[in-house]
Amino acid sequence: MLERLLDDTLDRLEAAIGRVSPALELQEVGTVVEVGGGIARLEGLPGVTAEELVAFDGGGLGIVFNLAPDAIEVMLLDDRPELSAGSRARATGREVDTPVGEALLGRVLDATGRVLDGGDPLGTLERWPVERPAPAILDRAPVTVPLETGIKAIDALIPIGRGQRELIIGDRQTGKTSVAIDAILNQRDKGVICLYCAVGQRGTAVSRVVDTLRDQQALPNTIVLVASDADAPGLRFITPYAAMTMAEYFMARGRDVLVVLDDLTRHARAYRELSLLARRPPGREAFPGDIFYIHSRLLERSTQLVERLGGGSLTALPIIETQGQDMSAYIPTNLISITDGQVYLSPSLFHKGFLPAIEVGRSVSRVGGKTQYPAFRQVAGDLRLAYAQFEELETFSRFATRLDAATRQAIEHGRRVREVLKQPEHRPFSAGEQLVVLKAVNEGLLDGLPLEQIAAAETRLTRGAQQRLPALCAQLDSGEPLEEAQWQQLLEAARAVLGEAAGAAKGGPDGIAGETAGTARDAG
Ligand code: ATP
Ligand code: MG
């Protein structure tokens, strides 16, 4: 009985084994010779190609960086202490890729798809290569739609369009990240998907940004991609490319995407570190010769696609940190020439409390003016002119002891414009709010007020306009131009609101008030 059972089982086993035909798989295995500073030198792997992904025993990953006759240099994507000389490595035949999809929205992750927000893992997602070709010329449409940042100084004077690349540049601690985050916050109800990519920053700085996005309800339409200063230089290097890939997924589906790259100075340093370790010849400031190319091929991927391809767009706001306000250093000049303009943040304005510290004279948007809403164009032309004159006059007036009345008035007017352009963090202004206050200051309605009362007057103006002329404000929010009669209606309401406030606070500095009333009447 038992024997029969045994025979039966053996027969079945033999049959099962006969059915199995093991496929032959050839796998090259290399050996690590040396590891250090985020680079590993390997021997073996004769068939490996440039930029191929290499997997190490224990799960670490690296990218082939240098192919020399005697050894292969691999940049590591993670810092694995167990990786040492003698570890084995195998070529994967794949290039580096990153997860893409709707599931990434609201998440904090790194370029390999590891989640960093303590939430559930991502699950199975489509993966796209991090390096993808930039759209061809024929696939690109002109930039025509504004990307509203909600920051008055930018939307009115340095407007940015969807699909544009605008650099945010300034010394350390001048509010660069704040400007970019405020631009992200303003997209909450605009249907623009945002991606904040932090490269080489301290973990605390990144978590502060994540907290802000969460507190301000901007996280659900934002992806936060992080390679901190503690991560391997290889990961810091590929992260901005991965950010572009994640954004391209949405752009390919006809969506508008805003990508903030914070910051490319640290990205360039990660690449310099890798290049020096791989003994590539150093050039200016010890950066390797292809440093221009690594940034240009990254930012070329930002565009407005033609209707035929869905009409999506990818706007890039790369950030660059300067040292001692030196815009002519190597990396800043590269980036200035790659991008379509820059927002310059000045440390001296920052220290004087003119926040955001945007210096209009050194900032430019090379495509933005064409994208501005018609209503903005009706107002901003005058404003830019007045402001430019003011900046010049203010510098000049430091040397002059006595000024004529017209000059003094232009300076006083300019100071009020500058006061109006001040804006606290996390308080984006809608197009309508911006236009109401900008129109009022343009027409000289605020010229009579002492500087410290401008902020209060501004609040009163936006609230008053909304209460008295809601339809007009809605029209301004949509960016449609107003008829002259409508502008007059708006100004009348503004005068009434300011008049009420002045009436309520009788007994202010008389001299200034008298002078102001005069200018306001002249302007009107
Ligand atoms: P880093 O060089 O360290 O990256 P940064 O240039 O990105 O700095 P931020 O971190 O954005 O600068 O801002 C520096 C400080 O200035 C922060 O404490 C921020 O809260 C403050 N700040 C920035 N903009 C404003 C503003 N408009 N109003 C008030 N405070 C601001
Ligand atoms: Mg910053």
Side-chain angles (χ1 to χ4, degrees):
M1 179 69 186
L2 193 68
E3 220 166 277
R4 240 204 356 255
L5 198 70
L6 218 68
D7 278 351
D8 204 29
T9 316
L10 268 175
D11 284 349
R12 276 199 221 169
L13 266 174
E14 265 167 22
I17 290 167
R19 279 200 299 275
V20 175
S21 51
L24 264 180
E25 198 185 320
L26 196 67
Q27 202 170 52
E28 284 181 9
V29 176
T31 316
V32 176
V33 190
E34 194 183 335
V35 193
I39 293 260
R41 280 163 69 80
L42 308 184
E43 265 174 0
L45 299 180
V48 83
T49 55
E51 290 176 15
E52 187 173 336
L53 199 62
V54 171
F56 296 96
D57 278 356
L61 291 172
I63 305 170
V64 177
F65 188 50
N66 259 7
L67 281 172
D70 53 336
I72 297 159
E73 269 154 346
V74 172
M75 59 168 135
L76 303 175
L77 294 186
D78 37 16
D79 231 343
R80 301 242 172 189
E82 71 269 19
L83 193 69
S84 59
S87 299
R88 296 193 326 157
R90 100 200 126 64
T92 60
R94 289 195 294 138
E95 48 192 333
V96 199
D97 51 20
T98 194
V100 292
E102 301 275 341
L104 300 183
L105 290 172
R107 302 305 301 268
V108 184
L109 69 158
D110 76 7
T112 61
R114 203 157 43 104
V115 295
L116 306 171
D117 52 10
D120 296 333
L122 290 173
T124 324
L125 285 178
E126 215 178 308
R127 292 183 81 94
W128 286 14
V130 297
E131 293 266 11
R132 302 179 76 236
I137 299 284
L138 287 177
D139 297 341
R140 295 172 185 249
V143 173
T144 51
V145 184
L147 183 104
E148 294 171 67
T149 62
I151 300 170
K152 285 169 279 182
I154 295 183
D155 288 353
L157 303 174
I158 323 155
I160 301 172
R162 293 189 185 176
Q164 186 177 341
R165 297 151 298 176
E166 180 84 7
L167 188 64
I168 299 175
I169 184 167
D171 278 11
R172 55 176 298 282
Q173 286 290 308
T174 48
K176 303 182 295 297
T177 304
S178 302
V179 165
I181 293 303
D182 285 351
I184 290 181
L185 296 184
N186 198 42
Q187 309 309 320
R188 279 172 294 204
D189 54 352
K190 305 268 186 308
V192 176
I193 288 176
C194 301
L195 210 148
Y196 177 77
C197 170
V199 178
Q201 300 194 38
R202 274 165 296 115
T204 48
V206 180
S207 59
R208 208 166 336 117
V209 168
V210 174
D211 288 344
T212 306
L213 292 173
R214 190 176 290 122
D215 295 345
Q216 304 282 331
Q217 282 89 41
L219 206 50
N221 70 330
T222 306
I223 303 169
V224 181
L225 189 61
V226 184
S228 76
D229 59 352
D231 282 315
L235 188 67
R236 277 181 267 150
F237 173 64
I238 64 156
T239 295
Y241 299 95
M244 286 299 194
T245 298
M246 289 176 184
E248 279 163 352
Y249 173 87
F250 293 102
M251 176 169 71
R253 277 154 188 73
R255 304 292 302 267
D256 294 308
V257 195
L258 167 67
V259 177
V260 171
L261 302 167
D262 193 2
D263 63 40
L264 291 187
T265 306
R266 294 189 175 92
H267 179 244
R269 284 193 200 132
Y271 190 62
R272 174 169 67 184
E273 200 175 317
L274 288 168
S275 301
L276 291 175
L277 283 166
R279 286 178 285 259
R280 289 193 179 174
R284 190 172 153 191
E285 290 178 26
F287 285 105
D290 58 344
I291 192 81
F292 185 89
Y293 174 59
I294 69 154
H295 284 153
S296 62
R297 77 167 190 257
L298 173 73
L299 293 169
E300 275 305 306
R301 291 165 70 179
S302 138
T303 191
Q304 165 77 57
L305 288 179
V306 289
E307 221 38 67
R308 168 171 57 82
L309 296 172
S313 71
L314 198 170
T315 313
L317 294 181
I319 296 179
I320 278 285
E321 181 184 300
T322 50
Q323 275 171 354
Q325 303 183 55
D326 183 9
M327 292 230 273
S328 59
Y330 190 26
I331 302 300
T333 43
N334 278 357
L335 264 297
I336 286 172
S337 65
I338 292 167
T339 50
D340 311 306
Q342 74 267 356
V343 172
Y344 178 74
L345 294 163
S346 140
S348 64
L349 287 179
F350 190 90
H351 292 128
K352 285 181 199 150
F354 296 117
L355 296 172
I358 298 170
E359 189 173 327
V360 174
R362 295 173 85 176
S363 302
V364 62
S365 174
R366 282 189 269 272
V367 286
K370 287 172 230 139
T371 73
Q372 237 174 353
Y373 283 138
F376 262 108
R377 256 178 274 156
Q378 288 179 324
V379 173
D382 298 347
L383 189 69
R384 200 176 295 131
L385 188 68
Y387 202 71
Q389 281 174 347
F390 157 69
E391 280 186 335
E392 219 169 275
L393 281 176
E394 199 189 34
T395 322
F396 172 74
S397 68
R398 272 191 226 137
F399 306 107
T401 42
R402 254 180 286 154
L403 296 167
D404 62 85
T407 313
R408 218 167 341 116
Q409 206 212 316
I411 291 178
E412 286 305 315
H413 178 70
R415 290 208 173 116
R416 276 148 190 87
V417 174
R418 185 165 62 193
E419 207 60 29
V420 160
L421 292 179
K422 272 194 193 174
Q423 200 168 326
E425 272 182 296
H426 318 327
R427 166 67 177 95
F429 272 56
S430 72
E433 288 175 320
Q434 296 192 29
L435 286 163
V436 169
V437 289
L438 292 175
K439 184 70 182 174
V441 72
N442 247 2
E443 298 289 338
L445 298 198
L446 303 181
D447 283 359
L449 289 178
L451 289 178
E452 58 279 3
Q453 286 178 20
I454 301 276
E458 188 179 59
T459 315
R460 245 178 262 128
L461 278 173
T462 49
R463 280 212 202 114
Q466 190 61 45
Q467 277 163 6
R468 288 160 192 246
L469 305 164
L472 211 85
C473 288
Q475 192 178 340
L476 283 176
D477 272 334
S478 70
E480 276 175 49
L482 297 191
E483 306 281 336
E484 190 46 42
Q486 289 176 300
W487 281 122
Q488 288 311 326
Q489 210 184 340
L490 190 75
L491 284 174
E492 227 154 84
R495 283 201 194 95
V497 170
L498 294 173
E500 272 169 27
K506 225 7 187 206
D510 260 337
I512 299 180
E515 195 180 307
T516 322
T519 35
R521 223 176 299 119
D522 294 346

